[in-house]
Amino acid sequence: MNLKFAAVALAAAFALPASAQTEIQWWHSMGGALGEWVNDLAKEFNASQKDYKVTPTFKGSYAESMTAGIAAYRAGNAPHLIQVFEVGTATMMSAKGAVVPVAEVMTKAGLKFDPSIYVPAVAGYYTAPNGQMLSYPFNSSTPVFHYNKDAFKAAGLDPESPPKTWPEVALAAAKLKASGHKCPFTTSWISWTQLESFSAWHNVLYSTKNNGFGGLDTRLAFNSPLHVRHVENLANMAKSGLFVYKGRENKADATFVSGECAMITGSSALAGSVKRNSKFGYGIGTLPYYPDVPGAPQNTVIGGGSLWVMAGKKPEEYKGIAQFLNYLSKPEVAAASHQRTGYLPVTKASFDVTEKAGFYKQNPGYDVSVNQMIRKTTDKSRGVRLGNFVQIRTIIDEELEGVWQGNKQPKEALDNAVKRGNEQLERFQKANKS
């Protein structure tokens, strides 16, 4: 009996895999429907091969996960991959020794890496001056105009014709209010939609030195007459109950999904949540612009985040990271992600797959984000890449909240935000002189 047991135990020991799976820790900031998407991507990759296991972990908001990632690196226990929002790009670029460029990771793993397969406006944002791609453009979004078609019908507005200009937004909001809507228009991510993308869309600078791409000595420029005029218009809409401020970051998103607010400027990635949770006819339009501004509309800028590879890991772990990023880049995988979430198709091939499948014909408006981004960019509209950007956005929130509450004049608020924001830029410049 004992001999038989020993033989079984010996056979079981030899049946064990020669080497355990290499685990890849992935920290992210995707909650709700987007969190399910991230978990599904990891599960599908894990099921596609046997050598590596990607473990996604939700670490809170974008700002929280970036702070946690930096702290973990300093403590010597950083994850392998961390999702960082576009606002943190300059900070990650200056974190010498903490990150490994994604192009280097792919090449060392023996995988072909061709930056030209990615949508140029997306890839360009995450590329160093020397042409090396630093992070993987995982979930890129751009601001679009979301609207409630049922609310439009009830207000006597054409549900198939969203407002294209800011004067048209104000007129639509007035009709929505007259029909009983308590929140005709709102916005999420104030700085991103109403200052950063607003600037690029109108081909005016948000900050000097081509919005920070031309050097760390960039200084803020969003207190121009056009910016002041726009915030004044929003302030007047707020006084009249046509624009209702619903909070910082993406707090306003839920008020649109629930049907409380009829129109919102926000991330294209809001589409996934609306599709899943809303109970009304849904439409997507382009970001509004002022028709009297020469050159408008130009192009919008990206939001969302990218995946950064952290330093100090084992060669086998880097091979696993490369395999996972390679999997995410497959046309069918990237296309499915775009269609599910409303994030941009990050590769040209994934856009082609989506278009050939007739997705845009079946889902009108889903191509708005792509069309806004694939226009030719200028030095003023390529994007905004600043140090201490998270702090600058917080300053903008603080100053503009005074405007929405009626305690501060628009010009005063923008002048203050520029002054306080420039102090942050000077601090970052001094800390990263090399």
Side-chain angles (χ1 to χ4, degrees):
M1 186 71 182
N2 286 347
L3 279 172
K4 192 175 177 185
F5 177 77
V8 169
L10 195 63
F14 278 111
L16 286 172
S19 59
Q21 282 184 315
T22 300
E23 188 176 8
I24 308 298
Q25 286 288 340
W26 174 20
W27 287 6
H28 68 88
S29 299
M30 303 275 91
L34 293 173
E36 290 172 20
W37 163 59
V38 161
N39 290 336
D40 286 346
L41 280 175
K43 275 182 206 161
E44 287 154 15
F45 169 72
N46 293 342
S48 74
Q49 45 72 54
K50 293 176 181 171
D51 297 324
Y52 308 102
K53 183 190 176 189
V54 171
T55 305
T57 306
F58 176 70
K59 297 300 282 189
S61 71
Y62 279 133
E64 287 165 347
S65 64
M66 187 167 96
T67 304
I70 291 166
Y73 172 75
R74 286 175 182 154
N77 57 1
H80 300 84
L81 276 174
I82 182 165
Q83 180 191 29
V84 176
F85 58 164
E86 92 288 3
V87 182
T89 301
T91 300
M92 296 301 282
M93 281 176 74
S94 65
K96 303 283 190 291
V99 296
V100 184
V102 70
E104 186 182 313
V105 172
M106 301 296 273
T107 308
K108 280 188 177 172
L111 292 169
K112 188 184 171 206
F113 183 69
D114 180 7
S116 71
I117 70 166
Y118 299 93
V119 174
V122 174
Y125 191 86
Y126 299 115
T127 299
N130 66 2
Q132 187 181 47
M133 204 150 140
L134 301 172
S135 61
Y136 177 81
F138 173 61
N139 62 308
S140 291
S141 58
T142 201
V144 294
F145 187 85
H146 307 269
Y147 68 103
N148 181 325
K149 288 186 175 183
D150 294 356
F152 267 48
K153 279 181 202 165
L157 292 160
D158 182 352
E160 302 309 320
S161 182
K164 290 183 172 62
T165 67
W166 281 109
E168 287 172 4
V169 172
L171 289 171
K175 286 192 176 178
L176 286 158
K177 187 187 175 191
S179 71
H181 237 284
K182 289 192 168 63
C183 177
F185 169 71
T186 190
T187 186
S188 60
W189 298 106
I190 285 266
S191 175
W192 182 47
T193 60
Q194 305 309 319
L195 291 176
E196 296 159 36
S197 260
F198 175 87
S199 300
W201 201 222
H202 291 84
N203 201 29
V204 297
L205 285 174
Y206 174 90
S207 69
T208 63
K209 291 286 173 111
N210 297 337
N211 298 322
F213 280 82
L216 294 183
D217 53 342
T218 176
R219 294 298 178 262
L220 301 171
F222 56 73
N223 56 346
S224 76
L226 178 62
H227 293 99
V228 172
R229 168 191 170 189
H230 180 51
V231 175
E232 278 173 351
N233 287 341
L234 289 176
N236 289 332
M237 285 177 69
K239 277 178 204 160
S240 310
L242 305 181
F243 162 50
V244 182
Y245 176 67
K246 290 290 185 179
R248 298 183 186 185
E249 297 185 341
N250 65 341
K251 298 288 187 297
D253 288 355
T255 68
F256 177 75
V257 176
S258 70
E260 180 191 343
C261 295
M263 305 183 290
I264 184 173
T265 46
S267 169
S268 55
L270 180 57
S273 180
V274 176
K275 216 173 176 183
R276 194 179 100 157
N277 302 313
S278 70
K279 295 178 173 63
F280 54 79
Y282 169 52
I284 303 171
T286 53
L287 200 66
Y289 66 99
Y290 287 100
D292 61 331
V293 175
Q298 179 63 40
N299 62 276
T300 50
V301 298
I302 65 166
S306 64
L307 303 183
W308 289 81
V309 182
M310 302 305 284
K313 305 300 178 186
K314 295 172 184 168
E316 188 57 28
E317 292 168 339
Y318 284 122
K319 277 186 190 168
I321 293 166
Q323 290 294 343
F324 179 53
L325 297 181
N326 196 49
Y327 174 81
L328 294 179
S329 295
K330 287 184 176 179
E332 64 277 14
V333 175
S337 288
H338 161 55
Q339 293 166 32
R340 176 172 174 175
T341 64
Y343 281 118
L344 293 162
V346 291
T347 65
K348 296 169 191 171
S350 60
F351 173 69
D352 292 340
V353 166
T354 303
E355 195 170 38
K356 281 173 187 161
F359 179 81
Y360 298 125
K361 282 180 183 168
Q362 293 156 21
N363 298 271
Y366 266 67
D367 58 345
V368 166
S369 58
V370 185
N371 291 329
Q372 284 186 174
M373 286 295 295
I374 60 174
R375 296 160 185 253
K376 191 179 178 189
T377 59
T378 71
D379 286 341
K380 294 174 183 173
S381 72
R382 184 179 165 194
V384 182
R385 200 159 70 187
L386 307 177
N388 288 345
F389 207 167
V390 179
Q391 294 91 323
I392 291 167
R393 276 193 175 174
T394 301
I395 288 166
I396 288 165
D397 285 335
E398 288 169 1
E399 292 295 339
L400 290 182
E401 277 165 359
V403 175
W404 317 139
Q405 290 154 8
N407 304 327
K408 204 168 270 189
Q409 289 302 312
K411 187 172 188 319
E412 178 196 358
L414 291 178
D415 285 346
N416 285 351
V418 164
K419 183 174 180 287
R420 292 173 61 197
N422 282 341
E423 288 166 6
Q424 292 291 333
L425 290 174
E426 284 163 25
R427 202 169 295 162
F428 186 81
Q429 185 185 353
K430 279 177 190 166
N432 295 280
K433 266 183 182 169
S434 60

